[in-house]
């Protein structure tokens, strides 16, 4: 199915195996060509200013990041990035 031209879907994960799993799932849905995936750190997220877009994230919550302090640091850093770089955006976080 073709998605609207202005729609940009991007996904990233720090672990290459999870990016590959997401690619396989998208391929099974026939959407592999519609979503850009890459190995990336959520703290480095750099959206384009002025897009007023949606950000949807399922950040690690302990299953993949073993230490509670590491999860807290990641959430603090990602929250700071959203505040500093995403004015006008809507964010939905699955926690």
């Amino acid at each position: 199915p073709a998605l609207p031209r202005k729609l940009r879907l991007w996904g990233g994960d720090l672990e290459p195996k999870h990016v590959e799993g997401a690619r396989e799932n998208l391929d099974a849905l026939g959407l592999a060509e519609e979503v850009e995936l890459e190995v990336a750190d959520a703290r480095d997220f750099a959206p384009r200013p002025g897009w007023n877009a949606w950000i949807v994230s399922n950040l690690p919550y302990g299953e993949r990041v073993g230490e509670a302090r590491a999860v807290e640091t990641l959430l603090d850093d990602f929250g700071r990035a959203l505040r500093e770089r995403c004015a006008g955006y809507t964010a939905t976080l699955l926690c």
Side-chain angles (χ1 to χ4, degrees), residues 21-84:
R23 274 196 184 101
E24 290 171 7
N25 290 336
L26 288 167
D27 190 44
L29 293 168
L31 296 171
E33 298 299 316
E34 305 294 340
V35 182
E36 179 184 344
L37 295 175
E38 63 185 62
V39 175
D41 189 320
R43 292 168 285 210
D44 297 331
F45 176 64
R48 294 183 181 165
W51 275 28
N52 302 325
W54 280 79
I55 298 167
V56 179
S57 182
N58 182 13
L59 294 167
Y61 50 85
E63 291 294 317
R64 291 177 14 198
V65 178
E67 212 175 291
R69 184 66 193 134
V71 173
E72 286 178 33
T73 300
L74 172 63
L75 294 176
D76 287 345
D77 291 346
F78 188 64
R80 186 176 309 104
L82 290 177
R83 287 188 303 278
E84 292 173 357

